[in-house]
Amino acid sequence: MHPEIGTASDAYPKRCLVGNWSFAEPHVAEITLEKLTKVYPDGTNAVKQLDLDVGDGELVVLVGPSGCGKTTALRMVAGLEPITDGVVRIGDQVVNNLPPKNRDIAMIFQNYALYPHMTAYKNMAFGLKLRKFEPSEIDRRVRDAARVLGLEDVLRKRPRTLSGGQRQRVAMGRAIVREPQAFLMDEPLSNLDAKLRVEMRAEIARIQRDLAVTTIYVTHDQVEAMTLGDKVAAMRDGVLQQFDVPQALYDRPVNLFVAEFIGSPAMNLVGADLERDNESIYARFGEHRLRLDDDVLSSRPALNRFEGKPLILGLRPEDLEDAALAGEAPPDRRLSAQIDIREDMGSEVFVHFGSGGRPVRGEDVAAAIGEEAIEATEPQTKGKGSLFVARVGRESRAREGEQLELLVNTSRLHFFDPDTGYGIYDSDS
């Protein structure tokens, strides 16, 4: 029996070392979700037949906009939400009917949930004390966790005297000392300021890597998802859209929703037409024509059926560069733009401009960026077409109201079927 469920009289499992942290040898703790479904009494279908495999020691991020079902799925894994249909397995055990305390998992929440009258030490030790662990074992675990988390100097302090980052680390420490089979994290960094979020993100990644504990992490922040996850599951309206390594979601988004949601700033989308001129194929939008590279055409034979037809062209902001910084290129690799807004970010510059092409709307885009964002940009698109953002070098001398020549990395163009919203990648697309 694992000591998290048993009592202090149970034999402790064999221990090993990672850095300066001594912990029980990890369980094999794959988490498998099979057709996981949640329907609330009012008929709301929050999660729809979710299939997901989280490997032993993996960190998988569930990401998506508010209301996409990611937190509901996490709560079903934790046992905090009844399952309407489907199966949750932790290791080899089906846990659908097990209470949370018997699932050998630890949750870390957005609101820390620390006892204000207890010191950091007592907050971290409280769960072990309830399970009647011996005081010497409690002390060892708490101090080991404090050393890993950099909390040794604040163990005697109460939560109100701690910074936001320290409170979050105490909450993490409370989970770590339990040595569970899995961590479940529900937007644990959303209450922190931007700088501290970056620091804590790196801390979570390091701790999870060192402890090799299976982890499911929920966030609406796609930057957290891309930087933290071994794999990322993008969700929309309770349905899993794409599950893969982060780079695959960025390089080959399965549909318009994933394309718009993953990446910051978001992918530029515009309605375009594929046309042939002599032996070359061009994507035309507004007054612009971009020639498709031969390797793009050869790797995406499904594009052939769109010749002479409209489709949706996607361009990531980082695949546009100020031509003055990038060197010479033929006209069919360039866009000429009148800069509307210049944003200096310090290490780079964002330039906003109208592409002149057909704006892309619809449910996929609205789900990714929100109806309010679309409504806010609607007046700006009149006469300018789809609005683009280019992410150019900080040396760029682009100025608002002036013309700018932009070099396009045409080997990294994205294409989507306007009828289905799915990405066009190969003959099976």
Side-chain angles (χ1 to χ4, degrees), residues 185-267:
M185 302 188 183
D186 187 11
E187 306 211 34
L189 307 184
S190 58
N191 285 343
L192 305 180
D193 61 46
K195 184 176 185 297
L196 195 51
R197 260 201 315 273
V198 173
E199 294 174 0
M200 284 302 301
R201 194 165 69 216
E203 192 76 4
I204 288 174
R206 180 183 62 80
I207 292 166
Q208 195 277 337
R209 178 201 65 208
D210 288 350
L211 300 183
V213 177
T214 306
T215 302
I216 300 179
Y217 186 106
V218 163
T219 182
H220 64 275
D221 185 337
Q222 55 91 22
V223 175
E224 277 183 27
M226 295 292 284
T227 55
L228 272 176
D230 295 316
K231 290 183 180 176
V232 175
M235 296 185 66
R236 171 192 171 193
D237 297 334
V239 178
L240 178 65
Q241 302 293 302
Q242 189 169 0
F243 180 49
D244 213 325
V245 296
Q247 198 63 40
L249 272 70
Y250 178 86
D251 289 336
R252 291 172 63 93
V254 70
N255 56 29
L256 285 169
F257 169 80
V258 178
E260 275 286 272
F261 195 81
I262 299 296
S264 181
M267 182 184 289

Coordinates of all heavy atoms in Angstrom, one line a residue, residues 185-267:
M185 N -2.6 20.2 -12.1 CA -2.5 21.6 -11.9 C -3.5 22.4 -12.7 O -3.6 22.3 -13.9 CB -1.1 22.0 -12.3 CG 0.1 21.3 -11.6 SD 1.7 22.0 -11.9 CE 2.8 20.9 -11.0
D186 N -4.3 23.2 -12.0 CA -5.4 23.9 -12.6 C -5.0 25.4 -12.6 O -5.2 26.1 -11.6 CB -6.7 23.7 -11.8 CG -7.9 24.3 -12.6 OD1 -7.7 24.8 -13.7 OD2 -9.0 24.4 -12.0
E187 N -4.5 25.9 -13.7 CA -4.1 27.3 -13.9 C -3.3 27.8 -12.7 O -3.7 28.9 -12.1 CB -5.3 28.2 -14.2 CG -6.1 27.6 -15.4 CD -6.7 28.7 -16.2 OE1 -6.2 29.8 -16.3 OE2 -7.8 28.4 -16.7
P188 N -2.2 27.2 -12.2 CA -1.6 27.6 -11.0 C -0.9 28.9 -11.0 O -0.5 29.5 -10.0 CB -0.6 26.4 -10.8 CG -0.3 25.9 -12.1 CD -1.6 26.0 -12.9
L189 N -0.6 29.5 -12.2 CA 0.2 30.7 -12.3 C -0.7 31.9 -12.6 O -0.1 33.0 -12.8 CB 1.3 30.5 -13.3 CG 2.2 29.3 -13.2 CD1 3.3 29.3 -14.2 CD2 2.8 29.3 -11.8
S190 N -2.0 31.8 -12.8 CA -2.8 32.9 -13.3 C -2.9 34.1 -12.4 O -3.2 35.2 -12.8 CB -4.2 32.4 -13.7 OG -4.8 31.8 -12.6
N191 N -2.6 33.9 -11.1 CA -2.7 35.0 -10.2 C -1.4 35.8 -10.0 O -1.3 36.7 -9.3 CB -3.1 34.5 -8.8 CG -4.6 34.1 -8.7 OD1 -5.3 34.5 -9.5 ND2 -4.9 33.4 -7.7
L192 N -0.3 35.3 -10.7 CA 1.0 36.0 -10.6 C 1.2 37.0 -11.7 O 0.6 37.0 -12.7 CB 2.1 34.9 -10.7 CG 2.0 33.7 -9.7 CD1 3.1 32.8 -10.0 CD2 2.0 34.2 -8.3
D193 N 2.1 38.0 -11.4 CA 2.4 39.0 -12.4 C 3.2 38.4 -13.5 O 3.8 37.3 -13.3 CB 3.0 40.2 -11.8 CG 4.4 39.9 -11.1 OD1 5.2 39.2 -11.7 OD2 4.6 40.4 -10.0
A194 N 3.4 39.1 -14.6 CA 4.0 38.5 -15.8 C 5.4 38.0 -15.5 O 5.8 36.9 -15.9 CB 4.0 39.5 -16.9
K195 N 6.3 38.8 -14.8 CA 7.6 38.4 -14.6 C 7.7 37.1 -13.7 O 8.5 36.2 -14.0 CB 8.4 39.5 -13.9 CG 9.9 39.2 -13.7 CD 10.6 40.5 -13.1 CE 12.1 40.2 -13.0 NZ 12.4 39.1 -12.1
L196 N 6.9 37.1 -12.7 CA 6.9 36.0 -11.8 C 6.3 34.7 -12.4 O 6.8 33.6 -12.1 CB 6.1 36.3 -10.5 CG 6.2 35.4 -9.3 CD1 7.7 35.3 -8.9 CD2 5.5 36.0 -8.1
R197 N 5.4 34.9 -13.3 CA 4.8 33.8 -14.1 C 5.9 33.1 -14.9 O 6.0 31.9 -14.9 CB 3.7 34.2 -15.1 CG 2.4 34.0 -14.5 CD 1.3 33.9 -15.6 NE 1.4 35.0 -16.6 CZ 0.9 36.2 -16.6 NH1 0.2 36.5 -15.5 NH2 1.0 37.0 -17.5
V198 N 6.8 33.9 -15.5 CA 7.9 33.3 -16.3 C 8.8 32.5 -15.4 O 9.3 31.4 -15.7 CB 8.7 34.4 -17.0 CG1 9.9 33.8 -17.7 CG2 7.8 35.1 -18.1
E199 N 9.2 33.1 -14.2 CA 10.1 32.4 -13.3 C 9.5 31.1 -12.7 O 10.1 30.1 -12.7 CB 10.4 33.4 -12.1 CG 11.2 34.6 -12.5 CD 11.4 35.6 -11.4 OE1 10.9 35.3 -10.3 OE2 12.0 36.6 -11.6
M200 N 8.2 31.2 -12.4 CA 7.5 30.0 -11.8 C 7.3 28.9 -12.9 O 7.3 27.7 -12.6 CB 6.2 30.4 -11.2 CG 6.3 31.1 -9.8 SD 7.2 30.1 -8.6 CE 6.2 28.6 -8.5
R201 N 7.1 29.4 -14.1 CA 6.9 28.4 -15.2 C 8.2 27.6 -15.3 O 8.1 26.3 -15.5 CB 6.6 29.2 -16.5 CG 6.1 28.3 -17.6 CD 5.5 29.2 -18.7 NE 6.6 30.0 -19.4 CZ 6.4 31.3 -19.8 NH1 5.3 31.9 -19.6 NH2 7.4 31.9 -20.5
A202 N 9.3 28.2 -15.3 CA 10.6 27.5 -15.4 C 10.8 26.6 -14.1 O 11.3 25.5 -14.2 CB 11.8 28.5 -15.5
E203 N 10.3 27.1 -13.0 CA 10.5 26.3 -11.7 C 9.6 25.0 -11.8 O 10.1 23.9 -11.5 CB 10.0 27.2 -10.6 CG 10.3 26.6 -9.2 CD 11.8 26.8 -8.8 OE1 12.5 27.4 -9.6 OE2 12.2 26.2 -7.8
I204 N 8.4 25.2 -12.3 CA 7.5 24.0 -12.5 C 8.1 23.0 -13.4 O 8.1 21.8 -13.2 CB 6.1 24.4 -12.9 CG1 5.4 25.1 -11.8 CG2 5.3 23.2 -13.4 CD1 4.0 25.7 -12.1
A205 N 8.7 23.5 -14.6 CA 9.3 22.6 -15.6 C 10.5 21.8 -14.9 O 10.6 20.6 -15.2 CB 9.7 23.4 -16.8
R206 N 11.3 22.6 -14.2 CA 12.5 21.9 -13.6 C 12.1 20.9 -12.6 O 12.6 19.8 -12.6 CB 13.3 23.0 -12.9 CG 14.6 22.4 -12.3 CD 15.4 23.5 -11.6 NE 14.7 24.1 -10.5 CZ 14.5 23.6 -9.3 NH1 15.1 22.4 -9.0 NH2 13.9 24.2 -8.3
I207 N 11.1 21.2 -11.7 CA 10.7 20.3 -10.6 C 10.1 19.0 -11.2 O 10.3 17.9 -10.9 CB 9.7 21.0 -9.7 CG1 10.5 22.1 -8.9 CG2 9.1 20.0 -8.7 CD1 9.6 23.0 -8.1
Q208 N 9.2 19.3 -12.2 CA 8.5 18.1 -12.9 C 9.5 17.2 -13.6 O 9.4 16.0 -13.5 CB 7.4 18.6 -13.8 CG 6.4 17.6 -14.3 CD 6.9 16.7 -15.4 OE1 7.8 17.1 -16.2 NE2 6.4 15.5 -15.5
R209 N 10.5 17.8 -14.2 CA 11.6 17.0 -14.9 C 12.4 16.2 -13.9 O 12.6 15.1 -14.1 CB 12.5 18.0 -15.7 CG 13.6 17.3 -16.4 CD 14.7 18.3 -16.7 NE 15.3 18.8 -15.4 CZ 15.9 20.0 -15.3 NH1 15.9 20.8 -16.3 NH2 16.4 20.4 -14.2
D210 N 12.7 16.9 -12.8 CA 13.6 16.2 -11.8 C 12.8 15.1 -11.1 O 13.4 14.0 -10.8 CB 14.1 17.2 -10.7 CG 15.2 18.1 -11.3 OD1 15.6 17.9 -12.4 OD2 15.5 19.1 -10.6
L211 N 11.5 15.3 -10.7 CA 10.8 14.3 -10.0 C 10.2 13.3 -10.9 O 9.8 12.2 -10.5 CB 9.7 15.0 -9.2 CG 10.1 16.0 -8.1 CD1 8.9 16.5 -7.4 CD2 11.1 15.4 -7.2
A212 N 10.0 13.6 -12.2 CA 9.5 12.7 -13.2 C 8.1 12.2 -12.8 O 7.8 11.0 -13.0 CB 10.4 11.5 -13.5
V213 N 7.3 13.1 -12.3 CA 5.9 12.7 -11.9 C 4.9 13.0 -13.0 O 5.0 14.1 -13.6 CB 5.5 13.5 -10.6 CG1 4.1 13.1 -10.2 CG2 6.4 13.1 -9.5
T214 N 4.1 12.1 -13.4 CA 3.1 12.3 -14.4 C 2.2 13.5 -14.0 O 1.7 13.6 -12.9 CB 2.2 11.1 -14.5 OG1 3.0 9.9 -14.8 CG2 1.2 11.2 -15.7
T215 N 2.1 14.5 -15.0 CA 1.4 15.7 -14.7 C 0.4 16.1 -15.8 O 0.8 16.1 -17.0 CB 2.5 16.9 -14.5 OG1 3.4 16.5 -13.4 CG2 1.8 18.2 -14.1
I216 N -0.8 16.5 -15.4 CA -1.7 17.2 -16.3 C -1.8 18.6 -15.8 O -2.1 18.9 -14.7 CB -3.1 16.5 -16.3 CG1 -2.9 15.0 -16.8 CG2 -4.0 17.2 -17.3 CD1 -4.2 14.3 -16.8
Y217 N -1.6 19.6 -16.7 CA -1.6 21.0 -16.4 C -2.6 21.7 -17.3 O -2.6 21.6 -18.5 CB -0.2 21.5 -16.7 CG 0.2 22.9 -16.3 CD1 1.0 23.2 -15.2 CD2 -0.3 24.0 -17.1 CE1 1.3 24.5 -14.9 CE2 0.0 25.3 -16.7 CZ 0.8 25.5 -15.6 OH 1.1 26.8 -15.3
V218 N -3.5 22.4 -16.7 CA -4.5 23.2 -17.4 C -4.2 24.6 -17.4 O -3.8 25.2 -16.4 CB -5.9 23.0 -16.7 CG1 -6.9 24.0 -17.1 CG2 -6.4 21.6 -17.0
T219 N -4.3 25.2 -18.6 CA -4.1 26.7 -18.7 C -4.9 27.2 -20.0 O -5.2 26.4 -20.9 CB -2.6 27.0 -18.9 OG1 -2.4 28.4 -19.0 CG2 -2.0 26.4 -20.1
H220 N -5.2 28.5 -19.9 CA -5.7 29.2 -21.2 C -4.6 29.9 -21.9 O -4.8 30.4 -23.0 CB -6.8 30.2 -20.8 CG -6.3 31.3 -19.9 ND1 -6.2 31.2 -18.6 CD2 -5.9 32.5 -20.3 CE1 -5.7 32.4 -18.1 NE2 -5.5 33.2 -19.1
D221 N -3.4 29.9 -21.3 CA -2.3 30.6 -21.8 C -1.4 29.7 -22.8 O -0.8 28.8 -22.3 CB -1.4 31.1 -20.7 CG -0.2 32.0 -21.1 OD1 0.2 31.9 -22.3 OD2 0.3 32.8 -20.3
Q222 N -1.5 30.0 -24.1 CA -0.8 29.1 -25.0 C 0.7 29.2 -24.9 O 1.4 28.3 -25.2 CB -1.3 29.4 -26.4 CG -1.1 30.9 -26.9 CD 0.2 31.1 -27.5 OE1 0.9 30.2 -28.0 NE2 0.6 32.4 -27.6
V223 N 1.2 30.3 -24.4 CA 2.7 30.4 -24.1 C 3.1 29.4 -23.0 O 4.1 28.7 -23.2 CB 3.1 31.8 -23.7 CG1 4.6 31.9 -23.4 CG2 2.8 32.8 -24.9
E224 N 2.3 29.3 -22.0 CA 2.6 28.3 -20.9 C 2.5 26.9 -21.6 O 3.3 26.0 -21.3 CB 1.5 28.4 -19.8 CG 1.9 29.4 -18.8 CD 0.9 29.5 -17.7 OE1 0.2 28.4 -17.4 OE2 0.7 30.5 -17.0
A225 N 1.5 26.7 -22.4 CA 1.3 25.4 -23.0 C 2.5 25.0 -23.8 O 3.0 23.9 -23.7 CB 0.0 25.3 -23.8
M226 N 3.0 25.9 -24.7 CA 4.1 25.6 -25.6 C 5.4 25.4 -24.9 O 6.2 24.6 -25.3 CB 4.2 26.7 -26.6 CG 3.0 26.9 -27.5 SD 2.8 25.5 -28.7 CE 4.1 25.8 -29.8
T227 N 5.6 26.1 -23.8 CA 6.9 26.1 -23.1 C 7.0 25.0 -22.1 O 8.1 24.5 -21.8 CB 7.2 27.4 -22.4 OG1 6.2 27.8 -21.5 CG2 7.4 28.5 -23.5
L228 N 5.9 24.6 -21.5 CA 5.9 23.6 -20.4 C 5.6 22.2 -20.9 O 6.2 21.2 -20.4 CB 4.8 23.9 -19.4 CG 5.1 24.9 -18.3 CD1 3.9 25.2 -17.4 CD2 6.2 24.3 -17.4
G229 N 4.8 22.0 -21.9 CA 4.3 20.6 -22.1 C 5.2 19.8 -22.9 O 5.8 20.2 -23.9
D230 N 5.3 18.5 -22.5 CA 5.9 17.5 -23.4 C 5.0 17.3 -24.6 O 5.4 17.1 -25.7 CB 6.1 16.1 -22.6 CG 7.1 16.3 -21.5 OD1 8.1 16.9 -21.7 OD2 6.8 15.7 -20.4
K231 N 3.7 17.3 -24.3 CA 2.6 17.3 -25.3 C 1.5 18.3 -24.9 O 1.4 18.6 -23.7 CB 2.0 15.9 -25.5 CG 3.0 14.9 -26.1 CD 2.3 13.5 -26.3 CE 3.2 12.5 -26.9 NZ 2.6 11.2 -27.0
V232 N 0.8 18.8 -25.9 CA -0.2 19.7 -25.7 C -1.5 19.2 -26.3 O -1.5 18.7 -27.5 CB 0.1 21.1 -26.3 CG1 -1.0 22.1 -26.2 CG2 1.4 21.7 -25.7
A233 N -2.6 19.3 -25.6 CA -3.9 19.0 -26.0 C -4.7 20.3 -26.2 O -5.1 20.9 -25.2 CB -4.6 18.0 -25.1
A234 N -5.0 20.7 -27.4 CA -5.8 21.9 -27.6 C -7.3 21.5 -27.7 O -7.7 20.6 -28.4 CB -5.4 22.5 -28.9
M235 N -8.1 22.2 -26.9 CA -9.5 21.9 -26.8 C -10.4 23.0 -27.2 O -10.0 24.2 -27.0 CB -9.9 21.4 -25.3 CG -9.2 20.1 -24.9 SD -9.8 19.6 -23.3 CE -11.5 19.2 -23.6
R236 N -11.6 22.7 -27.7 CA -12.6 23.7 -28.1 C -14.0 23.1 -27.9 O -14.3 22.1 -28.4 CB -12.4 24.1 -29.5 CG -13.5 25.0 -30.0 CD -13.5 25.2 -31.5 NE -14.6 25.8 -32.0 CZ -15.0 25.9 -33.3 NH1 -14.2 25.3 -34.2 NH2 -16.1 26.5 -33.7
D237 N -14.8 23.8 -27.1 CA -16.2 23.4 -26.9 C -16.3 21.9 -26.4 O -17.2 21.2 -26.9 CB -17.0 23.6 -28.1 CG -17.1 25.1 -28.5 OD1 -17.0 25.9 -27.6 OD2 -17.3 25.4 -29.7
G238 N -15.4 21.5 -25.6 CA -15.4 20.2 -25.0 C -14.8 19.1 -25.9 O -14.8 17.9 -25.5
V239 N -14.3 19.5 -27.1 CA -13.8 18.5 -28.1 C -12.3 18.7 -28.2 O -11.8 19.8 -28.4 CB -14.5 18.7 -29.4 CG1 -13.9 17.7 -30.5 CG2 -16.0 18.4 -29.3
L240 N -11.6 17.6 -28.2 CA -10.1 17.7 -28.4 C -9.9 18.0 -29.9 O -10.4 17.3 -30.8 CB -9.5 16.3 -28.1 CG -8.0 16.2 -28.3 CD1 -7.2 17.1 -27.4 CD2 -7.5 14.7 -28.1
Q241 N -9.1 19.0 -30.2 CA -8.8 19.4 -31.5 C -7.5 18.8 -32.1 O -7.5 18.3 -33.2 CB -8.7 20.9 -31.6 CG -10.0 21.7 -31.2 CD -11.2 21.5 -32.1 OE1 -11.1 21.7 -33.3 NE2 -12.2 20.9 -31.5
Q242 N -6.5 18.8 -31.2 CA -5.2 18.3 -31.7 C -4.4 18.0 -30.4 O -4.4 18.7 -29.4 CB -4.4 19.3 -32.5 CG -3.2 18.8 -33.2 CD -2.6 19.8 -34.2 OE1 -3.1 20.9 -34.5 NE2 -1.5 19.4 -34.8
F243 N -3.7 16.8 -30.5 CA -2.9 16.4 -29.3 C -1.5 15.9 -29.9 O -1.4 15.0 -30.6 CB -3.6 15.2 -28.6 CG -2.8 14.7 -27.4 CD1 -2.2 15.6 -26.5 CD2 -2.6 13.3 -27.3 CE1 -1.5 15.1 -25.4 CE2 -1.9 12.8 -26.2 CZ -1.4 13.7 -25.3
D244 N -0.5 16.7 -29.6 CA 0.8 16.4 -30.2 C 1.9 17.2 -29.4 O 1.6 17.9 -28.5 CB 0.9 16.8 -31.6 CG 1.7 15.9 -32.5 OD1 2.8 15.4 -31.9 OD2 1.4 15.6 -33.6
V245 N 3.1 17.0 -29.8 CA 4.2 17.8 -29.2 C 4.0 19.3 -29.6 O 3.4 19.6 -30.6 CB 5.6 17.3 -29.7 CG1 5.9 15.9 -29.2 CG2 5.7 17.4 -31.2
P246 N 4.4 20.2 -28.8 CA 4.1 21.6 -29.0 C 4.5 22.1 -30.4 O 3.8 22.9 -31.1 CB 4.9 22.4 -27.9 CG 5.1 21.4 -26.8 CD 5.2 20.0 -27.5
Q247 N 5.7 21.7 -30.9 CA 6.1 22.2 -32.2 C 5.2 21.7 -33.3 O 5.0 22.5 -34.3 CB 7.6 21.7 -32.5 CG 8.3 22.5 -33.6 CD 8.5 24.0 -33.2 OE1 8.8 24.3 -32.1 NE2 8.3 24.8 -34.2
A248 N 4.6 20.6 -33.2 CA 3.7 20.1 -34.2 C 2.4 21.0 -34.3 O 1.9 21.2 -35.4 CB 3.3 18.6 -34.0
L249 N 1.9 21.4 -33.1 CA 0.8 22.3 -33.2 C 1.1 23.7 -33.8 O 0.3 24.3 -34.5 CB 0.3 22.6 -31.7 CG -0.8 21.6 -31.2 CD1 -0.1 20.2 -31.0 CD2 -1.4 22.1 -29.9
Y250 N 2.4 24.1 -33.6 CA 2.8 25.3 -34.2 C 3.0 25.2 -35.7 O 2.6 26.0 -36.5 CB 4.1 25.8 -33.5 CG 4.6 27.1 -34.1 CD1 4.2 28.3 -33.6 CD2 5.6 27.1 -35.0 CE1 4.7 29.5 -34.1 CE2 6.2 28.2 -35.5 CZ 5.7 29.5 -35.1 OH 6.2 30.6 -35.6
D251 N 3.7 24.1 -36.1 CA 4.1 23.9 -37.5 C 3.0 23.4 -38.4 O 2.9 23.8 -39.6 CB 5.3 23.0 -37.6 CG 6.6 23.6 -37.1 OD1 6.7 24.8 -37.1 OD2 7.5 22.8 -36.7
R252 N 2.1 22.5 -37.8 CA 1.1 21.9 -38.6 C -0.2 21.9 -37.9 O -0.8 20.9 -37.5 CB 1.5 20.5 -39.0 CG 2.6 20.3 -39.9 CD 3.1 18.9 -40.1 NE 2.0 18.0 -40.6 CZ 1.9 17.8 -41.9 NH1 2.7 18.3 -42.8 NH2 1.0 16.9 -42.4
P253 N -0.8 23.1 -37.6 CA -2.1 23.2 -36.9 C -3.2 22.5 -37.7 O -3.3 22.6 -38.9 CB -2.4 24.7 -36.8 CG -1.6 25.3 -37.9 CD -0.3 24.4 -38.0
V254 N -3.9 21.6 -37.0 CA -4.9 20.8 -37.8 C -6.0 21.6 -38.4 O -6.6 21.2 -39.4 CB -5.4 19.7 -36.8 CG1 -6.3 20.3 -35.7 CG2 -6.1 18.6 -37.6
N255 N -6.3 22.7 -37.8 CA -7.5 23.5 -38.3 C -7.3 25.0 -38.0 O -6.3 25.4 -37.3 CB -8.8 23.0 -37.8 CG -8.9 23.0 -36.3 OD1 -8.2 23.8 -35.6 ND2 -9.7 22.1 -35.7
L256 N -8.2 25.8 -38.4 CA -8.1 27.3 -38.2 C -8.1 27.6 -36.7 O -7.4 28.6 -36.3 CB -9.2 28.0 -38.9 CG -9.2 28.1 -40.4 CD1 -10.5 28.6 -41.0 CD2 -8.0 29.0 -40.8
F257 N -8.9 26.9 -35.9 CA -8.9 27.2 -34.5 C -7.5 27.0 -33.9 O -7.0 28.0 -33.2 CB -9.9 26.3 -33.8 CG -9.8 26.4 -32.3 CD1 -10.4 27.4 -31.6 CD2 -9.1 25.4 -31.6 CE1 -10.3 27.5 -30.2 CE2 -9.0 25.5 -30.2 CZ -9.6 26.5 -29.5
V258 N -6.9 25.9 -34.1 CA -5.5 25.7 -33.5 C -4.5 26.7 -34.1 O -3.7 27.2 -33.4 CB -5.1 24.3 -33.8 CG1 -3.6 24.0 -33.2 CG2 -6.0 23.3 -33.1
A259 N -4.6 27.0 -35.4 CA -3.7 28.0 -36.0 C -3.8 29.3 -35.4 O -2.8 30.0 -35.1 CB -4.1 28.1 -37.5
E260 N -5.0 29.8 -35.0 CA -5.2 31.1 -34.4 C -4.9 31.1 -33.0 O -4.4 32.1 -32.4 CB -6.7 31.5 -34.6 CG -7.0 32.2 -35.9 CD -6.4 33.6 -36.0 OE1 -7.1 34.6 -35.5 OE2 -5.2 33.8 -36.4
F261 N -5.1 30.0 -32.3 CA -5.0 29.9 -30.8 C -3.5 29.8 -30.4 O -3.0 30.3 -29.4 CB -5.8 28.8 -30.2 CG -6.0 29.0 -28.7 CD1 -6.9 29.8 -28.2 CD2 -5.2 28.3 -27.9 CE1 -7.0 30.0 -26.8 CE2 -5.3 28.4 -26.5 CZ -6.2 29.3 -26.0
I262 N -2.8 29.0 -31.2 CA -1.4 28.7 -30.9 C -0.5 29.7 -31.6 O -0.5 29.7 -32.9 CB -1.0 27.3 -31.2 CG1 -1.8 26.3 -30.5 CG2 0.5 27.0 -31.0 CD1 -1.6 26.3 -29.0
G263 N 0.3 30.4 -30.9 CA 1.2 31.5 -31.5 C 0.8 32.8 -31.0 O -0.4 33.2 -30.8
S264 N 1.8 33.6 -30.7 CA 1.6 35.0 -30.2 C 2.6 35.9 -30.8 O 3.8 35.7 -30.5 CB 1.7 35.0 -28.6 OG 1.4 36.3 -28.1
P265 N 2.2 36.9 -31.5 CA 0.8 37.2 -32.0 C 0.3 36.0 -32.8 O 1.0 35.2 -33.3 CB 1.0 38.5 -32.8 CG 2.3 39.1 -32.4 CD 3.2 37.9 -32.0
A266 N -1.1 36.1 -33.0 CA -1.7 35.0 -33.7 C -1.3 34.9 -35.2 O -0.9 35.9 -35.7 CB -3.2 35.1 -33.6
M267 N -1.6 33.8 -35.8 CA -1.3 33.7 -37.2 C -2.2 34.6 -38.0 O -3.3 34.8 -37.7 CB -1.6 32.2 -37.7 CG -1.3 32.0 -39.2 SD -1.8 30.3 -39.7 CE -0.6 29.3 -38.9

